[in-house]
Amino acid sequence: MRKIGLGRKAALIVVGALLAGGSLTACSSSADKSSGESSEQTSSNAGSGDASGSVEDLTIGLISHNIASPGIKLYRDVFTELAEARGWTVKSVDTSGDVVAAVNQTKQWVDEGVDVIVNDTVPNDLMTDGIKAANAADIPWFSVSSGGGVAGVANEVEANEYQSGAQLALAMVDAMGGEGNILRLTWSGLQSIRERSAALDAITATRENVKVVDTIELKVPGWADDSYKQVTNYLQTHDDVDAIWMPWDDFAVDVSRAVEESGQDDIIIGGFDLDDSAADLLRKGGPFVMTNALNIPAMASKSIALIEAEASGQDVPTMSYIPNCLATQDNIPDQGGRDSVEFWTKCYEEPLGLLADLS
């Protein structure tokens, strides 16, 4: 990777700098699992964007698992704008859920001599051939929500999904009045979703009057239509569901429609991510009552800071965590959602750096 002098500032405003006067990653809750440092130490050291200078003229290959997902599209858009504002070139490819195509694309980028590869949401444990090819060419591999603990990955940025899953599970149990049956929707192909699901199991295991009555594996890609059909069919033959757990919420509209058409008005729905359609559902009212908002703008900004640090010769943590925040019908802003400065500044007790102001 090229190491040169001062680069251009990002075109997007970083909220942390405005609110706290802090560095790019002052409150990012990053953690380097291999070092034993506290999250505060790693956040202020390896993950910070306070390098002696920025890095220009990088070429980055960005794999998007499926741009049909609003969260993946938002990451690509924020990452690309922040990168291009620094003078970097981003080669972006949507592989539409095709892992083989993703691996082949990364190998092609290795042959083309890109400086960095970033993997958005393709499971890293399925990308090992691509990771090995990049490592052999001394090309750092960064990822977001793709699963940590995989050899050869320079850094994985994600939410702490065990914590996020437990937070949603506790809120769901509370909303059910401490008892009830949960229908779980899932896709076991992604580590972050498996971790969210494991947290739900851990919470329900300690509560005698709460249980997961069934688990539905979703078709990916094609999850929107599939979730509507499967939930509709399930509710036609079951009337004992009190809540529906969604692994992510860009198909919350479809699941909400299935619930409303079932006539079972007491079912609540909770999910993860807070895309625009989910934010609209919260404002509307109805069965979709909560989602654990994923701070994707901050994740994109974190990736940029870490790539810049790596290119400047700094060590970077292998894992970086961006905290989620529970969004409900009570705290959703009148407009926007996870792109809302108002939402995030109300959500966190302390101002979080890294949030790109998209307004």
Side-chain angles (χ1 to χ4, degrees), residues 274-344:
L274 186 64
D275 66 13
D276 289 344
S277 63
D280 288 340
L281 282 176
L282 290 176
R283 281 186 282 268
K284 173 185 173 183
F288 188 74
V289 299
M290 65 182 70
T291 184
N292 210 325
L294 185 63
N295 196 336
I296 290 175
M299 296 173 82
S301 185
K302 183 67 173 178
S303 297
I304 292 289
L306 289 163
I307 290 169
E308 197 164 42
E310 170 91 2
S312 299
Q314 299 181 60
D315 293 330
V316 300
T318 56
M319 295 291 297
S320 299
Y321 295 112
I322 304 296
N324 280 8
C325 180
L326 190 69
T328 69
Q329 293 177 347
D330 294 327
N331 71 357
I332 192 71
D334 292 338
Q335 293 182 337
R338 61 187 171 195
D339 60 349
S340 166
V341 175
E342 175 191 358
F343 172 74
W344 290 109

Side-chain angles (χ1 to χ4, degrees), residues 130-334:
I131 294 170
K132 289 176 182 177
N135 289 173
D138 293 324
I139 299 172
W141 183 284
F142 289 80
S143 62
V144 56
S145 299
S146 301
V150 177
V153 177
N155 175 268
E156 158 77 358
V157 175
E158 61 182 43
N160 184 327
E161 299 294 1
Y162 290 111
Q163 185 180 71
S164 300
Q167 185 181 23
L168 185 72
L170 289 169
M172 184 171 282
V173 169
D174 185 59
M176 292 191 300
E179 59 182 8
N181 296 327
I182 299 172
L183 173 63
R184 170 170 46 200
L185 310 183
T186 193
W187 178 52
S188 57
L190 191 61
Q191 180 177 325
S192 61
I193 294 174
R194 295 195 299 269
E195 291 174 358
R196 293 170 178 175
S197 188
L200 173 62
D201 288 335
I203 295 298
T204 56
T206 65
R207 284 156 175 80
E208 182 178 353
N209 296 322
V210 179
K211 64 179 179 178
V212 176
V213 290
D214 216 333
T215 296
I216 293 176
E217 183 79 16
L218 296 174
K219 177 183 176 182
V220 174
W223 55 84
D225 289 340
D226 187 52
S227 64
Y228 172 74
K229 291 175 184 177
Q230 292 212 57
V231 171
T232 295
N233 292 339
Y234 191 90
L235 295 181
Q236 285 176 347
T237 55
H238 297 79
D239 60 2
D240 60 345
V241 175
D242 299 292
I244 296 177
W245 170 281
M246 295 180 54
W248 69 96
D249 61 29
D250 65 26
F251 54 100
V253 170
D254 306 279
V255 176
S256 295
R257 181 161 59 97
V259 169
E260 289 167 347
E261 291 175 355
S262 76
Q264 300 184 44
D265 298 333
D266 55 347
I267 295 176
I268 63 170
I269 304 169
F272 294 85
D273 293 355
L274 186 64
D275 66 13
D276 289 344
S277 63
D280 288 340
L281 282 176
L282 290 176
R283 281 186 282 268
K284 173 185 173 183
F288 188 74
V289 299
M290 65 182 70
T291 184
N292 210 325
L294 185 63
N295 196 336
I296 290 175
M299 296 173 82
S301 185
K302 183 67 173 178
S303 297
I304 292 289
L306 289 163
I307 290 169
E308 197 164 42
E310 170 91 2
S312 299
Q314 299 181 60
D315 293 330
V316 300
T318 56
M319 295 291 297
S320 299
Y321 295 112
I322 304 296
N324 280 8
C325 180
L326 190 69
T328 69
Q329 293 177 347
D330 294 327
N331 71 357
I332 192 71
D334 292 338

Side-chain angles (χ1 to χ4, degrees), residues 65-113:
H65 185 42
N66 195 324
I67 215 69
S69 169
I72 293 175
K73 181 179 184 300
L74 178 60
Y75 180 90
R76 182 199 65 181
D77 292 348
V78 176
F79 180 92
T80 300
E81 188 163 357
L82 288 168
E84 290 179 349
R86 281 168 162 75
W88 303 352
T89 299
V90 178
K91 296 183 176 184
S92 178
V93 171
D94 171 22
T95 55
S96 301
D98 188 335
V99 175
V100 174
V103 172
N104 291 338
Q105 180 62 64
T106 59
K107 290 181 177 180
Q108 179 179 328
W109 280 334
V110 168
D111 292 340
E112 292 174 3

Side-chain angles (χ1 to χ4, degrees), residues 1-145:
M1 295 174 65
R2 305 178 185 89
K3 301 174 184 178
I4 63 176
L6 291 175
R8 287 170 284 189
K9 292 183 179 179
L12 301 182
I13 301 169
V14 177
V15 169
L18 297 176
L19 297 177
S23 69
L24 188 61
T25 59
C27 304
S28 64
S29 300
S30 302
D32 184 346
K33 288 185 175 179
S34 63
S35 69
E37 290 184 75
S38 70
S39 60
E40 290 81 6
Q41 288 173 314
T42 26
S43 176
S44 60
N45 294 335
S48 75
D50 294 340
S52 57
S54 299
V55 178
E56 289 180 340
D57 197 26
L58 294 180
T59 299
I60 299 171
L62 172 62
I63 286 286
S64 295
H65 185 42
N66 195 324
I67 215 69
S69 169
I72 293 175
K73 181 179 184 300
L74 178 60
Y75 180 90
R76 182 199 65 181
D77 292 348
V78 176
F79 180 92
T80 300
E81 188 163 357
L82 288 168
E84 290 179 349
R86 281 168 162 75
W88 303 352
T89 299
V90 178
K91 296 183 176 184
S92 178
V93 171
D94 171 22
T95 55
S96 301
D98 188 335
V99 175
V100 174
V103 172
N104 291 338
Q105 180 62 64
T106 59
K107 290 181 177 180
Q108 179 179 328
W109 280 334
V110 168
D111 292 340
E112 292 174 3
V114 300
D115 298 299
V116 182
I117 290 175
V118 178
N119 171 29
D120 183 4
T121 323
V122 186
N124 277 326
D125 56 6
L126 301 180
M127 295 289 287
T128 53
D129 285 350
I131 294 170
K132 289 176 182 177
N135 289 173
D138 293 324
I139 299 172
W141 183 284
F142 289 80
S143 62
V144 56
S145 299

